[in-house]
Amino acid sequence: VIACNTATAAAVIQVREAYPQLIVIGIEPALKLAADHFPGGRLGVMATEVTLREEKFDHLMHRFDGNCTIVKIPAPGLVQLIEAGKVDSEEIEALLRQILADHIGKLDALVLGCTHYPFVKETIGKILGNKTQLLDGGAGTARQTKRCLEQADLLNPGPGSVVMENSLGDPKMLELKRLQMQQLGQKKESLQMEIQLQPPAPQMPEVPQCFRGVNPSAVVQQAQTDFAEYGQLRKDVKTASPAVWIAGLL
């Protein structure tokens, strides 16, 4: 599961080509959900600048823009503040008010097109008001993961594990994960989980064949910047529903 809209937009096709033996699922903005709920409505999509300018997002948008009005809302700087743990700060509220100033009272729904943004969903809702519904793709991605596992006869209804892979060994990611679980309303007693930092790899993994000889584009450079903000975590999770845990990770 590529639990990042930007990474999905930039690389999901290449990852599937490089690893055809794996089920590869990417998250994308929940535009279909928004369009189904608000036919003829005005829909905002708040996401990183990279996600919004990728060809993959354009294809997604054009599937639904004949039946509704879709507004791109880039949110530069928001991910960095969330990863700095400033989700309840005056600084992040000020940034969100600046990002959303032109859209207050004008949207039927706002699609949160980045897996960081649910962390500040409460503040976004306060700014936009009750008339704008906030949607994200986490639950849909979890359902798609479950469907794919069922089709491949790989769904395990019993205890299992979820592994999060990232590039930076940084203890702050433990706090980010705890914050995520708290904001998603998970109870500590029901988690039965262990979070461990993985030691940094002694060397970079081999570059997949599909990326060799490719000159880094602005998209790839931005993705590298985004990935540098993350840590490498492993979680051994005991739960009766792996698909639910995928939703939690997103």
Side-chain angles (χ1 to χ4, degrees):
V1 176
I2 303 178
C4 172
N5 289 268
T6 300
T8 297
V12 69
I13 294 174
Q14 292 92 328
V15 172
R16 285 171 175 155
E17 290 175 349
Y19 303 101
Q21 76 279 15
L22 298 180
I23 297 172
V24 178
I25 298 167
I27 189 170
E28 62 183 16
L31 260 179
K32 182 181 185 303
L33 179 64
D36 288 346
H37 278 71
F38 299 96
R42 185 175 178 86
L43 313 176
V45 181
M46 189 169 75
T48 67
E49 294 171 297
V50 172
T51 294
L52 293 177
R53 69 171 176 252
E54 272 292 287
E55 184 178 359
K56 190 176 190 302
F57 177 78
D58 278 341
H59 289 321
L60 177 66
M61 184 177 72
H62 292 319
R63 285 170 54 193
F64 305 106
D65 61 3
N67 189 38
C68 54
T69 301
I70 299 174
V71 182
K72 293 182 179 181
I73 306 175
L78 185 55
V79 166
Q80 288 80 0
L81 288 181
I82 293 171
E83 291 188 345
K86 299 180 179 181
V87 293
D88 296 318
S89 68
E90 294 180 0
E91 184 179 1
I92 209 163
E93 181 171 344
L95 177 60
L96 283 168
R97 288 191 179 278
Q98 177 183 338
I99 291 169
L100 298 170
D102 294 335
H103 309 285
I104 296 173
K106 300 178 181 179
L107 299 174
D108 294 297
L110 177 68
V111 175
L112 306 181
C114 172
T115 51
H116 287 69
Y117 297 169
F119 295 161
V120 291
K121 187 174 182 178
E122 183 176 339
T123 303
I124 293 171
K126 181 173 71 172
I127 294 170
L128 291 179
N130 295 331
K131 293 184 178 180
T132 299
Q133 186 169 345
L134 305 182
L135 303 170
D136 72 82
T141 303
R143 288 191 294 269
Q144 175 65 7
T145 300
K146 183 178 180 180
R147 283 193 294 268
C148 290
L149 291 173
E150 287 176 333
Q151 291 169 3
D153 197 25
L154 292 173
L155 186 63
N156 176 13
S161 64
V162 176
V163 178
M164 283 186 68
E165 297 290 350
N166 257 298
S167 59
L168 179 65
D170 189 339
K172 74 178 182 180
M173 301 312 296
L174 291 172
E175 295 304 318
L176 181 62
K177 191 65 214 172
R178 292 190 185 100
L179 173 65
Q180 181 185 32
M181 290 301 179
Q182 180 182 358
Q183 292 207 352
L184 289 170
Q186 301 285 356
K187 295 181 180 179
K188 182 178 180 182
E189 294 77 14
S190 68
L191 298 185
Q192 299 183 31
M193 65 185 296
E194 179 182 352
I195 305 177
Q196 299 175 342
L197 270 177
Q198 291 282 60
Q203 61 183 16
M204 293 297 292
E206 183 180 0
V207 177
Q209 183 68 38
C210 62
F211 292 117
R212 294 176 188 171
V214 177
N215 292 325
S217 64
V219 172
V220 173
Q221 291 172 358
Q222 181 62 48
Q224 290 171 338
T225 300
D226 290 344
F227 295 151
E229 296 293 330
Y230 287 84
Q232 185 181 52
L233 303 179
R234 174 178 293 274
K235 287 191 294 308
D236 297 315
V237 182
K238 296 179 181 178
T239 175
S241 177
V244 171
W245 274 106
I246 298 297
L249 290 175
L250 299 176

